[in-house]
mmCIF file of all heavy atoms in Angstrom:
data_model
loop_
_atom_site.group_PDB
_atom_site.id
_atom_site.type_symbol
_atom_site.label_atom_id
_atom_site.label_comp_id
_atom_site.label_asym_id
_atom_site.label_seq_id
_atom_site.Cartn_x
_atom_site.Cartn_y
_atom_site.Cartn_z
ATOM 1 N N PHE A 259 -27.990 -51.734 -3.821
ATOM 2 C CA PHE A 259 -26.511 -51.669 -3.211
ATOM 3 C C PHE A 259 -25.712 -50.693 -3.898
ATOM 4 O O PHE A 259 -25.017 -49.878 -3.214
ATOM 5 C CB PHE A 259 -25.926 -53.108 -3.293
ATOM 6 C CG PHE A 259 -24.643 -53.137 -2.717
ATOM 7 C CD1 PHE A 259 -24.352 -53.090 -1.353
ATOM 8 C CD2 PHE A 259 -23.477 -53.398 -3.563
ATOM 9 C CE1 PHE A 259 -23.082 -53.117 -0.803
ATOM 10 C CE2 PHE A 259 -22.237 -53.388 -3.039
ATOM 11 C CZ PHE A 259 -22.032 -53.293 -1.669
ATOM 12 N N ILE A 283 -7.249 -21.822 0.250
ATOM 13 C CA ILE A 283 -7.380 -20.380 0.596
ATOM 14 C C ILE A 283 -6.446 -19.926 1.739
ATOM 15 O O ILE A 283 -5.759 -18.868 1.766
ATOM 16 C CB ILE A 283 -8.862 -20.020 1.075
ATOM 17 C CG1 ILE A 283 -9.785 -20.147 -0.102
ATOM 18 C CG2 ILE A 283 -8.976 -18.667 1.624
ATOM 19 C CD1 ILE A 283 -11.191 -19.937 0.112
ATOM 20 N N ASN A 295 -2.927 -32.062 8.598
ATOM 21 C CA ASN A 295 -1.592 -32.012 8.991
ATOM 22 C C ASN A 295 -0.835 -33.369 8.846
ATOM 23 O O ASN A 295 0.247 -33.508 8.408
ATOM 24 C CB ASN A 295 -1.409 -31.457 10.370
ATOM 25 C CG ASN A 295 -0.150 -31.009 10.745
ATOM 26 O OD1 ASN A 295 0.927 -31.035 9.967
ATOM 27 N ND2 ASN A 295 0.122 -30.597 12.022
ATOM 28 N N ARG A 299 2.368 -34.338 6.482
ATOM 29 C CA ARG A 299 3.525 -34.894 6.980
ATOM 30 C C ARG A 299 3.849 -36.232 6.221
ATOM 31 O O ARG A 299 4.938 -36.676 5.901
ATOM 32 C CB ARG A 299 3.504 -35.109 8.423
ATOM 33 C CG ARG A 299 3.872 -33.858 9.215
ATOM 34 C CD ARG A 299 3.899 -33.986 10.725
ATOM 35 N NE ARG A 299 2.547 -34.041 11.114
ATOM 36 C CZ ARG A 299 2.018 -34.957 11.990
ATOM 37 N NH1 ARG A 299 2.816 -35.873 12.449
ATOM 38 N NH2 ARG A 299 0.829 -34.913 12.358
ATOM 39 N N PHE A 321 -13.588 -36.867 -7.816
ATOM 40 C CA PHE A 321 -14.934 -36.520 -8.390
ATOM 41 C C PHE A 321 -15.119 -37.191 -9.818
ATOM 42 O O PHE A 321 -16.137 -37.579 -10.182
ATOM 43 C CB PHE A 321 -15.040 -34.910 -8.618
ATOM 44 C CG PHE A 321 -15.678 -34.237 -7.478
ATOM 45 C CD1 PHE A 321 -14.941 -34.007 -6.354
ATOM 46 C CD2 PHE A 321 -16.968 -33.792 -7.515
ATOM 47 C CE1 PHE A 321 -15.520 -33.370 -5.249
ATOM 48 C CE2 PHE A 321 -17.650 -33.175 -6.489
ATOM 49 C CZ PHE A 321 -16.846 -32.942 -5.311
ATOM 50 N N PHE A 327 -18.645 -43.891 -11.602
ATOM 51 C CA PHE A 327 -19.430 -44.822 -10.934
ATOM 52 C C PHE A 327 -20.960 -44.476 -11.035
ATOM 53 O O PHE A 327 -21.706 -45.452 -11.295
ATOM 54 C CB PHE A 327 -19.072 -45.009 -9.401
ATOM 55 C CG PHE A 327 -19.932 -45.946 -8.594
ATOM 56 C CD1 PHE A 327 -19.634 -47.261 -8.748
ATOM 57 C CD2 PHE A 327 -21.048 -45.509 -7.956
ATOM 58 C CE1 PHE A 327 -20.420 -48.163 -7.990
ATOM 59 C CE2 PHE A 327 -21.777 -46.437 -7.327
ATOM 60 C CZ PHE A 327 -21.558 -47.774 -7.311
ATOM 61 N N MET A 350 -45.900 -60.792 -23.504
ATOM 62 C CA MET A 350 -47.280 -60.649 -23.757
ATOM 63 C C MET A 350 -47.648 -60.875 -25.245
ATOM 64 O O MET A 350 -48.766 -61.341 -25.554
ATOM 65 C CB MET A 350 -47.660 -59.176 -23.427
ATOM 66 C CG MET A 350 -47.566 -59.030 -21.871
ATOM 67 S SD MET A 350 -48.077 -57.312 -21.361
ATOM 68 C CE MET A 350 -49.842 -57.339 -21.677
ATOM 69 N N THR A 367 -59.127 -55.173 -30.600
ATOM 70 C CA THR A 367 -57.715 -55.101 -30.993
ATOM 71 C C THR A 367 -57.008 -53.926 -30.434
ATOM 72 O O THR A 367 -55.815 -54.022 -30.147
ATOM 73 C CB THR A 367 -57.686 -55.003 -32.605
ATOM 74 O OG1 THR A 367 -58.523 -55.995 -33.176
ATOM 75 C CG2 THR A 367 -56.241 -55.103 -33.079
ATOM 76 N N SER A 376 -48.340 -49.478 -24.649
ATOM 77 C CA SER A 376 -48.392 -48.388 -23.748
ATOM 78 C C SER A 376 -48.491 -48.792 -22.290
ATOM 79 O O SER A 376 -47.922 -48.271 -21.375
ATOM 80 C CB SER A 376 -49.479 -47.364 -24.113
ATOM 81 O OG SER A 376 -50.787 -48.013 -24.022
ATOM 82 N N ASP A 377 -49.324 -49.850 -21.951
ATOM 83 C CA ASP A 377 -49.430 -50.284 -20.676
ATOM 84 C C ASP A 377 -48.123 -50.795 -20.030
ATOM 85 O O ASP A 377 -47.683 -50.419 -18.925
ATOM 86 C CB ASP A 377 -50.490 -51.406 -20.381
ATOM 87 C CG ASP A 377 -51.906 -50.811 -20.573
ATOM 88 O OD1 ASP A 377 -52.047 -49.623 -20.645
ATOM 89 O OD2 ASP A 377 -52.770 -51.704 -20.684
ATOM 90 N N ASN A 380 -45.779 -47.663 -19.664
ATOM 91 C CA ASN A 380 -46.105 -46.958 -18.428
ATOM 92 C C ASN A 380 -45.733 -47.614 -17.157
ATOM 93 O O ASN A 380 -45.324 -46.963 -16.263
ATOM 94 C CB ASN A 380 -47.643 -46.629 -18.480
ATOM 95 C CG ASN A 380 -48.002 -45.692 -19.565
ATOM 96 O OD1 ASN A 380 -47.181 -44.915 -20.085
ATOM 97 N ND2 ASN A 380 -49.250 -45.757 -19.975
ATOM 98 N N LEU A 386 -39.036 -47.200 -13.188
ATOM 99 C CA LEU A 386 -37.724 -46.359 -13.337
ATOM 100 C C LEU A 386 -37.921 -45.181 -12.413
ATOM 101 O O LEU A 386 -36.998 -44.855 -11.729
ATOM 102 C CB LEU A 386 -37.610 -45.958 -14.765
ATOM 103 C CG LEU A 386 -36.462 -45.111 -15.061
ATOM 104 C CD1 LEU A 386 -35.120 -45.654 -14.726
ATOM 105 C CD2 LEU A 386 -36.444 -44.604 -16.591
ATOM 106 N N VAL A 388 -39.748 -44.851 -9.615
ATOM 107 C CA VAL A 388 -39.527 -45.266 -8.238
ATOM 108 C C VAL A 388 -38.049 -45.476 -7.906
ATOM 109 O O VAL A 388 -37.653 -45.082 -6.850
ATOM 110 C CB VAL A 388 -40.450 -46.539 -7.918
ATOM 111 C CG1 VAL A 388 -40.161 -47.090 -6.603
ATOM 112 C CG2 VAL A 388 -41.892 -46.041 -7.937
ATOM 113 N N SER A 405 -24.297 -33.956 7.327
ATOM 114 C CA SER A 405 -24.316 -32.576 7.774
ATOM 115 C C SER A 405 -24.808 -32.438 9.279
ATOM 116 O O SER A 405 -24.198 -31.594 10.001
ATOM 117 C CB SER A 405 -25.276 -31.738 6.818
ATOM 118 O OG SER A 405 -26.620 -32.239 6.991
ATOM 119 N N THR A 408 -21.702 -33.458 11.406
ATOM 120 C CA THR A 408 -20.670 -32.464 11.527
ATOM 121 C C THR A 408 -21.117 -31.138 12.023
ATOM 122 O O THR A 408 -20.325 -30.534 12.817
ATOM 123 C CB THR A 408 -20.054 -32.350 10.037
ATOM 124 O OG1 THR A 408 -21.086 -31.884 9.169
ATOM 125 C CG2 THR A 408 -19.333 -33.553 9.673
#
Side-chain angles (χ1 to χ4, degrees):
F259 181 69
I283 293 175
N295 193 4
R299 282 183 280 132
F321 268 79
F327 178 81
M350 289 183 72
T367 309
S376 65
D377 288 350
N380 292 338
L386 178 63
V388 167
S405 65
T408 56

